[in-house]
Coordinates of all heavy atoms in Angstrom, one line a residue:
M21 N -1.4 31.0 -43.7 CA -1.2 30.3 -42.4 C -0.1 29.3 -42.6 O 0.0 28.6 -43.6 CB -2.5 29.6 -42.0 CG -2.4 28.9 -40.7 SD -3.9 28.1 -40.2 CE -5.0 29.5 -39.9
S22 N 0.8 29.1 -41.6 CA 1.9 28.2 -41.7 C 1.4 26.7 -41.6 O 0.3 26.5 -41.1 CB 2.9 28.5 -40.7 OG 2.5 28.0 -39.4
D23 N 2.2 25.8 -42.0 CA 1.9 24.4 -41.9 C 1.7 24.0 -40.4 O 1.0 23.0 -40.2 CB 3.0 23.5 -42.5 CG 3.0 23.6 -44.0 OD1 2.0 24.1 -44.6 OD2 4.1 23.2 -44.6
F24 N 2.3 24.7 -39.5 CA 2.2 24.4 -38.1 C 0.8 24.3 -37.6 O 0.4 23.4 -36.8 CB 3.0 25.4 -37.3 CG 3.0 25.1 -35.8 CD1 3.8 24.2 -35.3 CD2 2.1 25.7 -35.0 CE1 3.8 23.9 -33.9 CE2 2.1 25.4 -33.6 CZ 2.9 24.5 -33.1
F25 N -0.1 25.1 -38.1 CA -1.5 25.2 -37.6 C -2.5 24.4 -38.5 O -3.7 24.4 -38.2 CB -2.0 26.7 -37.6 CG -1.2 27.5 -36.5 CD1 -0.2 28.4 -36.9 CD2 -1.4 27.3 -35.2 CE1 0.5 29.1 -36.0 CE2 -0.7 28.0 -34.2 CZ 0.3 28.9 -34.7
E26 N -2.0 23.7 -39.5 CA -2.9 23.0 -40.4 C -3.2 21.6 -39.8 O -2.3 20.9 -39.2 CB -2.3 22.9 -41.8 CG -2.3 24.2 -42.5 CD -1.8 24.1 -43.9 OE1 -1.5 23.0 -44.4 OE2 -1.6 25.2 -44.5
G27 N -4.4 21.1 -40.1 CA -4.8 19.7 -39.7 C -5.4 19.7 -38.3 O -5.1 20.5 -37.4
S28 N -6.2 18.7 -38.0 CA -6.7 18.5 -36.7 C -5.7 18.0 -35.7 O -4.6 17.5 -36.1 CB -7.9 17.4 -36.8 OG -7.3 16.2 -37.1
V29 N -6.0 18.1 -34.4 CA -5.0 17.6 -33.4 C -4.8 16.1 -33.6 O -3.6 15.7 -33.6 CB -5.5 18.0 -32.0 CG1 -4.7 17.2 -31.0 CG2 -5.5 19.5 -31.8
P30 N -5.8 15.3 -33.8 CA -5.6 13.9 -34.0 C -4.7 13.6 -35.2 O -3.9 12.7 -35.2 CB -7.0 13.3 -34.1 CG -7.9 14.2 -33.4 CD -7.3 15.6 -33.6
A31 N -4.9 14.3 -36.3 CA -4.1 14.1 -37.5 C -2.7 14.5 -37.2 O -1.8 13.8 -37.7 CB -4.7 15.0 -38.6
R32 N -2.5 15.6 -36.5 CA -1.1 16.0 -36.2 C -0.4 15.0 -35.3 O 0.7 14.7 -35.4 CB -1.1 17.4 -35.6 CG -1.5 18.4 -36.7 CD -1.7 19.8 -36.1 NE -0.5 20.3 -35.5 CZ -0.5 21.3 -34.6 NH1 -1.6 21.9 -34.3 NH2 0.6 21.7 -34.1
L33 N -1.2 14.5 -34.2 CA -0.6 13.6 -33.3 C -0.3 12.2 -34.0 O 0.6 11.5 -33.7 CB -1.5 13.3 -32.1 CG -1.7 14.4 -31.1 CD1 -2.8 14.1 -30.1 CD2 -0.3 14.7 -30.4
G34 N -1.1 12.0 -35.1 CA -0.9 10.7 -35.8 C 0.4 10.7 -36.6 O 0.9 9.6 -37.0
K35 N 1.1 11.8 -36.7 CA 2.4 11.9 -37.3 C 3.5 11.5 -36.4 O 4.7 11.3 -36.8 CB 2.6 13.3 -37.9 CG 1.7 13.6 -39.1 CD 1.9 15.0 -39.6 CE 0.9 15.3 -40.7 NZ 1.1 16.7 -41.2
N36 N 3.2 11.4 -35.1 CA 4.3 11.0 -34.1 C 4.7 9.6 -34.4 O 4.0 8.8 -35.0 CB 3.7 11.1 -32.7 CG 3.5 12.5 -32.3 OD1 4.0 13.5 -32.9 ND2 2.6 12.7 -31.3
V37 N 5.9 9.3 -34.0 CA 6.5 8.0 -34.1 C 6.8 7.5 -32.7 O 7.3 8.3 -31.9 CB 7.7 7.9 -35.0 CG1 8.4 6.6 -35.0 CG2 7.4 8.4 -36.4
Y38 N 6.5 6.2 -32.4 CA 6.8 5.7 -31.1 C 7.7 4.5 -31.2 O 7.5 3.6 -32.0 CB 5.5 5.2 -30.5 CG 4.4 6.3 -30.2 CD1 3.6 6.7 -31.3 CD2 4.3 6.9 -29.0 CE1 2.6 7.7 -31.1 CE2 3.4 7.9 -28.8 CZ 2.5 8.3 -29.8 OH 1.6 9.2 -29.6
E39 N 8.8 4.6 -30.4 CA 9.6 3.4 -30.3 C 9.3 2.8 -28.9 O 9.5 3.3 -27.9 CB 11.1 3.8 -30.2 CG 11.7 4.3 -31.6 CD 11.8 3.2 -32.6 OE1 11.8 2.0 -32.2 OE2 11.7 3.5 -33.8
V40 N 8.6 1.6 -29.0 CA 8.0 1.0 -27.8 C 9.0 0.0 -27.2 O 9.5 -0.9 -27.9 CB 6.7 0.3 -28.2 CG1 6.1 -0.4 -26.9 CG2 5.7 1.3 -28.8
D41 N 9.3 0.3 -25.9 CA 10.2 -0.6 -25.2 C 9.3 -1.8 -24.6 O 8.9 -1.7 -23.4 CB 10.8 0.2 -24.1 CG 12.0 -0.6 -23.5 OD1 12.3 -1.7 -23.9 OD2 12.7 0.0 -22.6
E42 N 9.0 -2.7 -25.5 CA 8.1 -3.8 -25.1 C 8.4 -4.5 -23.8 O 9.6 -4.8 -23.6 CB 8.0 -4.9 -26.2 CG 7.5 -4.4 -27.5 CD 6.0 -4.1 -27.5 OE1 5.3 -4.5 -26.5 OE2 5.5 -3.5 -28.5
G43 N 7.5 -4.6 -22.9 CA 7.7 -5.3 -21.7 C 8.4 -4.5 -20.6 O 8.8 -5.0 -19.6
N44 N 8.7 -3.3 -20.9 CA 9.4 -2.4 -20.0 C 8.7 -1.1 -19.8 O 9.2 -0.1 -20.3 CB 10.9 -2.2 -20.5 CG 11.8 -1.5 -19.4 OD1 11.5 -1.6 -18.2 ND2 12.8 -0.9 -19.9
S45 N 7.6 -1.1 -19.1 CA 6.8 0.1 -18.9 C 7.5 1.1 -18.1 O 8.2 0.8 -17.1 CB 5.5 -0.3 -18.2 OG 4.7 0.9 -18.0
H46 N 7.4 2.4 -18.5 CA 8.0 3.5 -17.8 C 7.0 4.1 -16.8 O 7.3 5.1 -16.1 CB 8.6 4.6 -18.7 CG 7.5 5.3 -19.5 ND1 6.9 4.7 -20.6 CD2 7.0 6.5 -19.4 CE1 6.1 5.6 -21.1 NE2 6.1 6.7 -20.4
I47 N 5.8 3.4 -16.7 CA 4.7 3.9 -15.8 C 4.2 2.8 -15.0 O 4.0 1.7 -15.5 CB 3.6 4.5 -16.7 CG1 4.0 5.6 -17.6 CG2 2.5 5.0 -15.7 CD1 3.0 6.0 -18.6
E48 N 4.1 3.0 -13.7 CA 3.6 2.0 -12.8 C 2.6 2.6 -11.8 O 2.9 3.6 -11.2 CB 4.8 1.4 -12.0 CG 4.3 0.2 -11.1 CD 5.5 -0.3 -10.3 OE1 6.7 -0.3 -10.8 OE2 5.3 -0.9 -9.2
V49 N 1.4 2.1 -11.8 CA 0.4 2.5 -10.9 C 0.4 1.6 -9.6 O 0.3 0.4 -9.8 CB -1.0 2.6 -11.5 CG1 -2.1 2.9 -10.5 CG2 -1.0 3.6 -12.7
N50 N 0.3 2.2 -8.5 CA 0.2 1.4 -7.2 C -1.3 1.0 -7.2 O -2.2 1.9 -6.9 CB 0.6 2.3 -6.0 CG 0.5 1.5 -4.7 OD1 -0.5 0.8 -4.5 ND2 1.5 1.6 -3.9
Q51 N -1.6 -0.2 -7.5 CA -3.0 -0.7 -7.6 C -3.7 -0.7 -6.3 O -4.9 -0.6 -6.2 CB -3.0 -2.0 -8.4 CG -2.4 -2.0 -9.7 CD -3.2 -1.1 -10.7 OE1 -4.3 -0.6 -10.5 NE2 -2.6 -1.0 -11.9
E52 N -3.0 -0.9 -5.2 CA -3.6 -1.0 -3.9 C -4.1 0.4 -3.6 O -5.3 0.5 -3.1 CB -2.6 -1.4 -2.8 CG -2.1 -2.9 -3.0 CD -3.3 -3.9 -3.1 OE1 -4.2 -3.8 -2.3 OE2 -3.2 -4.7 -4.0
I53 N -3.4 1.4 -3.8 CA -3.8 2.8 -3.6 C -5.0 3.1 -4.5 O -6.0 3.7 -4.1 CB -2.7 3.8 -3.7 CG1 -1.7 3.6 -2.6 CG2 -3.2 5.2 -3.7 CD1 -0.4 4.5 -2.7
A54 N -4.9 2.7 -5.8 CA -5.9 3.0 -6.7 C -7.2 2.4 -6.3 O -8.3 3.1 -6.3 CB -5.5 2.5 -8.1
K55 N -7.2 1.1 -5.9 CA -8.4 0.4 -5.5 C -9.0 1.0 -4.2 O -10.2 1.1 -4.1 CB -8.2 -1.1 -5.4 CG -8.1 -1.8 -6.7 CD -8.2 -3.3 -6.6 CE -7.0 -3.9 -5.9 NZ -7.0 -5.3 -5.9
A56 N -8.1 1.3 -3.2 CA -8.6 1.7 -1.9 C -9.1 3.1 -1.9 O -10.0 3.4 -1.1 CB -7.4 1.5 -0.9
T57 N -8.6 4.0 -2.8 CA -9.0 5.4 -2.7 C -9.7 5.9 -3.9 O -10.3 7.0 -3.8 CB -7.7 6.2 -2.5 OG1 -6.9 6.1 -3.7 CG2 -6.9 5.7 -1.3
G58 N -9.6 5.2 -5.0 CA -10.2 5.7 -6.2 C -9.4 6.8 -6.9 O -9.8 7.5 -7.8
A59 N -8.2 7.0 -6.3 CA -7.3 8.1 -6.8 C -6.9 7.9 -8.3 O -6.4 8.9 -8.9 CB -6.1 8.2 -5.9
G60 N -7.0 6.7 -8.8 CA -6.6 6.5 -10.2 C -7.5 7.2 -11.2 O -7.2 7.4 -12.4
K61 N -8.7 7.5 -10.8 CA -9.7 8.1 -11.7 C -9.2 9.4 -12.3 O -9.5 9.7 -13.4 CB -11.0 8.4 -10.9 CG -11.8 7.2 -10.5 CD -13.1 7.6 -9.8 CE -13.7 6.4 -9.0 NZ -14.1 5.3 -9.9
V62 N -8.4 10.2 -11.5 CA -7.9 11.4 -12.0 C -6.9 11.2 -13.2 O -6.9 12.0 -14.1 CB -7.3 12.3 -10.9 CG1 -6.0 11.7 -10.4 CG2 -7.0 13.7 -11.4
L63 N -6.2 10.1 -13.1 CA -5.3 9.8 -14.2 C -6.0 9.5 -15.5 O -5.6 10.0 -16.6 CB -4.4 8.5 -13.9 CG -3.6 8.6 -12.6 CD1 -2.9 7.3 -12.4 CD2 -2.6 9.8 -12.6
V64 N -7.1 8.8 -15.4 CA -8.0 8.5 -16.5 C -8.5 9.8 -17.1 O -8.5 10.0 -18.4 CB -9.2 7.6 -16.1 CG1 -10.1 7.3 -17.3 CG2 -8.6 6.3 -15.5
K65 N -8.9 10.8 -16.3 CA -9.5 12.0 -16.8 C -8.5 12.9 -17.4 O -8.8 13.6 -18.4 CB -10.2 12.7 -15.6 CG -11.4 12.1 -15.2 CD -12.1 12.9 -14.1 CE -13.4 12.2 -13.6 NZ -14.0 12.9 -12.5
V66 N -7.2 13.0 -16.9 CA -6.3 14.1 -17.4 C -5.4 13.7 -18.5 O -4.9 14.5 -19.2 CB -5.4 14.6 -16.2 CG1 -6.3 15.2 -15.1 CG2 -4.5 13.6 -15.7
C67 N -5.2 12.4 -18.7 CA -4.2 12.0 -19.7 C -4.7 12.2 -21.1 O -5.8 11.7 -21.5 CB -3.9 10.5 -19.6 SG -2.7 9.9 -20.9
P68 N -4.1 13.1 -21.9 CA -4.5 13.4 -23.2 C -4.4 12.3 -24.2 O -5.0 12.3 -25.3 CB -3.6 14.6 -23.6 CG -2.4 14.4 -22.9 CD -2.8 13.8 -21.6
A69 N -3.6 11.3 -23.9 CA -3.3 10.1 -24.8 C -4.2 8.9 -24.4 O -4.0 7.9 -25.0 CB -1.9 9.8 -24.8
H70 N -5.0 9.0 -23.4 CA -5.8 7.9 -22.9 C -5.0 6.7 -22.6 O -5.3 5.6 -22.9 CB -6.9 7.6 -24.0 CG -7.7 8.7 -24.4 ND1 -8.6 9.3 -23.6 CD2 -7.8 9.4 -25.6 CE1 -9.2 10.3 -24.2 NE2 -8.7 10.4 -25.4
V71 N -3.9 6.9 -21.9 CA -3.0 5.9 -21.5 C -3.7 5.0 -20.4 O -3.5 3.8 -20.3 CB -1.7 6.4 -21.0 CG1 -0.9 5.4 -20.2 CG2 -0.9 7.0 -22.2
Y72 N -4.5 5.7 -19.5 CA -5.0 5.0 -18.4 C -6.5 4.7 -18.6 O -7.2 5.5 -19.2 CB -4.9 5.9 -17.1 CG -3.5 6.4 -16.8 CD1 -3.1 7.7 -17.2 CD2 -2.7 5.5 -16.1 CE1 -1.8 8.1 -16.9 CE2 -1.4 5.9 -15.8 CZ -0.9 7.2 -16.2 OH 0.3 7.6 -15.9
S73 N -6.9 3.5 -18.1 CA -8.3 3.2 -18.0 C -8.6 2.4 -16.8 O -7.8 1.7 -16.2 CB -8.7 2.4 -19.3 OG -7.9 1.2 -19.4
E74 N -9.8 2.7 -16.2 CA -10.2 2.0 -15.0 C -10.9 0.7 -15.3 O -11.9 0.7 -16.1 CB -11.1 2.9 -14.2 CG -11.4 2.4 -12.8 CD -12.2 3.3 -11.9 OE1 -12.9 4.2 -12.5 OE2 -12.2 3.1 -10.7
E75 N -10.5 -0.3 -14.6 CA -11.2 -1.6 -14.8 C -12.3 -1.8 -13.8 O -12.3 -1.0 -12.8 CB -10.1 -2.8 -14.5 CG -8.9 -2.7 -15.5 CD -9.3 -2.9 -16.9 OE1 -10.3 -3.5 -17.2 OE2 -8.6 -2.3 -17.8
P76 N -13.2 -2.7 -14.0 CA -14.4 -2.9 -13.1 C -14.0 -3.1 -11.6 O -14.7 -2.7 -10.7 CB -15.1 -4.1 -13.6 CG -14.7 -4.1 -15.1 CD -13.3 -3.6 -15.2
D77 N -12.8 -3.7 -11.4 CA -12.4 -4.0 -10.0 C -11.6 -2.8 -9.4 O -11.1 -2.9 -8.3 CB -11.5 -5.2 -9.9 CG -10.1 -5.0 -10.6 OD1 -9.9 -4.0 -11.3 OD2 -9.3 -6.0 -10.6
G78 N -11.6 -1.7 -10.1 CA -10.9 -0.5 -9.5 C -9.5 -0.3 -9.8 O -8.9 0.7 -9.5
T79 N -8.9 -1.3 -10.5 CA -7.5 -1.2 -10.9 C -7.4 -0.3 -12.1 O -8.4 -0.1 -12.8 CB -6.8 -2.6 -11.2 OG1 -7.6 -3.2 -12.2 CG2 -6.8 -3.4 -9.9
I80 N -6.2 0.2 -12.4 CA -6.0 1.1 -13.5 C -5.0 0.4 -14.5 O -3.9 0.1 -14.2 CB -5.3 2.4 -13.0 CG1 -6.2 3.1 -11.9 CG2 -5.1 3.4 -14.2 CD1 -7.6 3.5 -12.4
S81 N -5.5 0.2 -15.7 CA -4.7 -0.3 -16.8 C -3.9 0.8 -17.4 O -4.3 2.0 -17.4 CB -5.6 -1.0 -17.8 OG -6.3 -2.1 -17.3
V82 N -2.7 0.4 -17.9 CA -1.8 1.4 -18.4 C -1.3 1.0 -19.8 O -0.6 0.0 -19.9 CB -0.5 1.6 -17.5 CG1 0.4 2.6 -18.0 CG2 -1.0 2.0 -16.1
E83 N -1.6 1.7 -20.8 CA -1.1 1.5 -22.2 C 0.0 2.4 -22.4 O -0.1 3.5 -23.1 CB -2.2 1.8 -23.2 CG -3.4 0.8 -23.1 CD -3.0 -0.6 -23.7 OE1 -2.0 -0.7 -24.4 OE2 -3.7 -1.6 -23.3
F84 N 1.2 2.1 -21.8 CA 2.3 3.0 -21.7 C 2.9 3.4 -23.1 O 3.5 4.4 -23.3 CB 3.4 2.5 -20.9 CG 4.1 1.3 -21.4 CD1 5.3 1.5 -22.1 CD2 3.7 0.0 -21.3 CE1 6.0 0.4 -22.7 CE2 4.3 -1.1 -21.8 CZ 5.5 -0.9 -22.5
A85 N 2.6 2.5 -24.1 CA 3.2 2.8 -25.4 C 2.6 4.1 -26.1 O 3.3 4.6 -26.9 CB 2.9 1.6 -26.3
A86 N 1.5 4.5 -25.6 CA 0.8 5.7 -26.2 C 1.2 7.0 -25.5 O 0.8 8.1 -25.9 CB -0.7 5.5 -26.1
C87 N 2.1 6.9 -24.5 CA 2.4 8.1 -23.7 C 3.1 9.2 -24.5 O 4.0 8.9 -25.3 CB 3.3 7.7 -22.5 SG 3.8 9.0 -21.4
L88 N 2.6 10.4 -24.3 CA 3.2 11.6 -25.0 C 4.3 12.2 -24.2 O 4.8 13.3 -24.6 CB 2.1 12.6 -25.3 CG 1.0 12.1 -26.2 CD1 -0.2 13.1 -26.2 CD2 1.6 11.9 -27.6
E89 N 4.5 11.7 -23.0 CA 5.6 12.3 -22.1 C 5.3 13.7 -21.7 O 6.3 14.5 -21.6 CB 7.0 12.0 -22.7 CG 7.3 10.6 -22.9 CD 8.6 10.3 -23.7 OE1 9.5 11.2 -23.6 OE2 8.6 9.3 -24.4
C90 N 4.1 14.1 -21.5 CA 3.7 15.4 -21.2 C 3.9 15.8 -19.7 O 4.0 17.0 -19.4 CB 2.3 15.7 -21.7 SG 1.0 14.9 -20.7
G91 N 3.8 14.8 -18.9 CA 4.0 15.0 -17.5 C 2.7 15.4 -16.7 O 2.8 15.6 -15.5
T92 N 1.6 15.5 -17.3 CA 0.4 15.9 -16.7 C 0.0 14.9 -15.5 O -0.4 15.4 -14.4 CB -0.8 15.9 -17.7 OG1 -0.4 16.8 -18.7 CG2 -2.1 16.4 -17.0
C93 N 0.1 13.6 -15.8 CA -0.3 12.7 -14.7 C 0.6 12.8 -13.5 O 0.2 12.6 -12.4 CB -0.3 11.2 -15.3 SG 1.3 10.7 -16.0
R94 N 1.9 13.1 -13.7 CA 2.8 13.3 -12.6 C 2.4 14.5 -11.8 O 2.6 14.5 -10.6 CB 4.2 13.5 -13.1 CG 4.7 12.3 -14.0 CD 6.1 12.6 -14.5 NE 7.1 12.6 -13.5 CZ 8.3 13.1 -13.6 NH1 8.7 13.5 -14.8 NH2 9.2 13.0 -12.6
A95 N 1.9 15.5 -12.4 CA 1.5 16.7 -11.7 C 0.3 16.5 -10.8 O 0.2 17.2 -9.8 CB 1.3 17.8 -12.7
V96 N -0.6 15.6 -11.1 CA -1.8 15.5 -10.4 C -2.0 14.2 -9.6 O -2.9 14.1 -8.8 CB -3.0 15.6 -11.4 CG1 -3.0 16.9 -12.1 CG2 -3.1 14.4 -12.3
A97 N -1.1 13.3 -9.7 CA -1.2 12.0 -9.0 C -1.1 12.2 -7.5 O -0.3 12.9 -7.0 CB -0.2 11.0 -9.5
A98 N -1.9 11.4 -6.8 CA -1.9 11.4 -5.3 C -0.5 10.8 -4.9 O 0.1 10.0 -5.6 CB -3.0 10.6 -4.8
P99 N 0.0 11.2 -3.7 CA 1.3 10.7 -3.3 C 1.3 9.2 -3.2 O 0.4 8.6 -2.7 CB 1.4 11.3 -1.9 CG 0.6 12.5 -1.9 CD -0.6 12.2 -2.8
G100 N 2.3 8.6 -3.8 CA 2.5 7.2 -3.8 C 1.7 6.4 -4.9 O 1.9 5.2 -5.0
L101 N 0.9 7.1 -5.6 CA 0.0 6.4 -6.6 C 0.8 6.0 -7.9 O 0.5 5.0 -8.5 CB -1.1 7.3 -7.0 CG -2.1 6.8 -8.1 CD1 -2.8 5.5 -7.6 CD2 -3.1 7.8 -8.5
L102 N 1.8 6.8 -8.2 CA 2.4 6.7 -9.6 C 3.9 6.7 -9.5 O 4.5 7.5 -8.8 CB 1.9 7.9 -10.4 CG 2.2 7.9 -11.9 CD1 1.4 6.7 -12.6 CD2 1.8 9.2 -12.5
K103 N 4.5 5.7 -10.2 CA 5.9 5.8 -10.5 C 6.1 6.0 -12.0 O 5.5 5.3 -12.8 CB 6.6 4.5 -10.1 CG 6.8 4.3 -8.6 CD 7.5 3.0 -8.3 CE 7.6 2.8 -6.8 NZ 8.3 1.4 -6.5
W104 N 6.8 7.0 -12.3 CA 6.9 7.5 -13.8 C 8.3 7.9 -14.0 O 8.9 8.7 -13.2 CB 5.9 8.6 -14.0 CG 5.7 9.0 -15.5 CD1 4.6 8.7 -16.2 CD2 6.6 9.7 -16.3 NE1 4.7 9.2 -17.4 CE2 5.9 9.8 -17.6 CE3 7.8 10.3 -16.2 CZ2 6.4 10.5 -18.7 CZ3 8.4 10.9 -17.3 CH2 7.7 11.0 -18.5
H105 N 8.9 7.4 -15.1 CA 10.2 7.9 -15.5 C 10.2 8.0 -17.0 O 9.4 7.3 -17.7 CB 11.4 7.1 -15.0 CG 11.3 5.6 -15.5 ND1 11.8 5.3 -16.7 CD2 10.9 4.5 -14.9 CE1 11.6 3.9 -16.8 NE2 11.1 3.5 -15.8
Y106 N 11.1 8.7 -17.6 CA 11.2 8.8 -19.1 C 11.6 7.4 -19.6 O 12.4 6.7 -18.9 CB 12.2 9.8 -19.5 CG 11.6 11.2 -19.5 CD1 12.1 12.1 -18.5 CD2 10.7 11.7 -20.4 CE1 11.6 13.4 -18.4 CE2 10.2 12.9 -20.3 CZ 10.6 13.8 -19.3 OH 10.1 15.0 -19.2
P107 N 11.1 7.0 -20.8 CA 11.6 5.8 -21.4 C 13.1 5.8 -21.6 O 13.7 6.8 -21.7 CB 10.8 5.7 -22.7 CG 9.6 6.6 -22.5 CD 10.1 7.7 -21.6
E108 N 13.6 4.6 -21.6 CA 15.1 4.4 -21.8 C 15.6 4.9 -23.1 O 14.9 4.7 -24.1 CB 15.5 3.0 -21.6 CG 15.1 2.4 -20.2 CD 15.8 3.1 -19.1 OE1 17.0 3.5 -19.2 OE2 15.3 3.2 -18.0
G109 N 16.8 5.5 -23.2 CA 17.5 5.8 -24.4 C 16.6 6.5 -25.4 O 16.0 7.5 -25.2
S110 N 16.6 5.9 -26.6 CA 15.8 6.5 -27.7 C 14.4 6.0 -27.8 O 13.7 6.2 -28.8 CB 16.5 6.2 -29.0 OG 16.6 4.7 -29.2
M111 N 13.9 5.4 -26.7 CA 12.5 4.9 -26.7 C 11.5 6.0 -26.4 O 11.9 7.1 -26.0 CB 12.4 3.8 -25.6 CG 13.3 2.6 -25.8 SD 12.8 1.7 -27.4 CE 14.0 0.4 -27.3
G112 N 10.3 5.7 -26.7 CA 9.2 6.6 -26.4 C 8.8 7.4 -27.6 O 9.1 7.0 -28.8
V113 N 8.1 8.5 -27.4 CA 7.5 9.3 -28.5 C 8.5 10.1 -29.2 O 9.4 10.7 -28.5 CB 6.3 10.1 -28.0 CG1 6.8 11.2 -27.0 CG2 5.5 10.7 -29.1
M114 N 8.4 10.3 -30.5 CA 9.2 11.2 -31.3 C 8.2 12.1 -32.0 O 7.5 11.6 -32.9 CB 10.1 10.5 -32.2 CG 11.3 9.8 -31.6 SD 12.3 8.8 -32.7 CE 11.4 7.3 -32.6
F115 N 8.2 13.4 -31.6 CA 7.2 14.3 -32.2 C 7.7 14.7 -33.5 O 8.9 15.0 -33.8 CB 7.1 15.5 -31.3 CG 6.4 15.2 -29.9 CD1 7.2 15.0 -28.8 CD2 5.1 15.0 -29.9 CE1 6.6 14.7 -27.6 CE2 4.5 14.7 -28.7 CZ 5.2 14.6 -27.5
R116 N 6.7 14.8 -34.4 CA 7.0 15.2 -35.8 C 6.5 16.6 -36.1 O 6.8 17.1 -37.2 CB 6.3 14.2 -36.8 CG 6.9 12.8 -36.7 CD 8.4 12.8 -37.0 NE 8.9 11.5 -37.2 CZ 10.1 11.1 -36.8 NH1 10.9 11.9 -36.2 NH2 10.5 9.9 -37.0
E117 N 5.7 17.2 -35.2 CA 5.2 18.5 -35.3 C 5.3 19.2 -34.0 O 5.0 18.6 -33.0 CB 3.8 18.6 -35.8 CG 3.6 18.1 -37.3 CD 2.3 18.6 -37.8 OE1 1.8 19.7 -37.5 OE2 1.7 17.7 -38.5
G118 N 5.7 20.4 -34.0 CA 5.6 21.3 -32.8 C 6.6 21.0 -31.8 O 7.4 20.2 -31.6
Ligands
SF4_20 S1 2.9 11.8 -19.3 FE1 1.1 12.7 -20.3 S2 0.6 11.3 -22.0 FE2 2.0 10.2 -20.6 S3 0.7 9.0 -19.3 FE3 1.1 10.9 -18.2 S4 -0.6 12.3 -18.8 FE4 -0.6 10.6 -20.3

């Protein structure tokens, strides 16, 4: 078996390197829509990196530094809920496998 298939998913993801653009999130959730509709719950469920979490008041917290840039949240977000763009320049995730 090649090295590509060895190790658990968390172990393989742990080899990624992140250049974090501190204070400059590439993800923004419209908190009014999230609170009024509960539409942010789907972001919490689908993100493989657990970037999103729901707070007791219905707002959605965003740990953008952990983003894998997979695009899943963009595909499922309700209209107007999410603003997402790739991190600037050489910022963001750098995959070491696959
Ligand atoms: S792009 Fe992927 S990893 Fe990044 S926040 Fe969206 S679902 Fe999570």
Side-chain angles (χ1 to χ4, degrees):
M21 183 180 292
S22 75
D23 289 344
F24 181 81
F25 295 106
E26 292 182 4
S28 66
V29 170
R32 292 170 62 196
L33 287 173
K35 295 179 180 177
N36 292 339
V37 174
Y38 297 83
E39 289 292 337
V40 180
D41 196 358
E42 294 289 351
N44 189 22
S45 178
H46 65 287
I47 303 170
E48 182 181 334
V49 173
N50 183 315
Q51 301 295 353
E52 295 305 315
I53 292 176
K55 283 195 292 188
T57 67
K61 295 180 191 298
V62 71
L63 303 178
V64 177
K65 288 183 181 174
V66 301
C67 177
H70 306 292
V71 165
Y72 303 101
S73 57
E74 185 176 22
E75 302 298 332
D77 67 355
T79 59
I80 302 297
S81 294
V82 180
E83 292 289 337
F84 71 94
C87 179
L88 297 169
E89 301 172 27
C90 68
T92 305
C93 58
R94 300 177 69 191
V96 302
L101 177 64
L102 190 66
K103 287 183 181 174
W104 193 107
H105 61 82
Y106 283 105
E108 300 297 328
S110 61
M111 298 297 181
V113 65
M114 287 176 272
F115 293 100
R116 296 299 190 217
E117 289 196 41

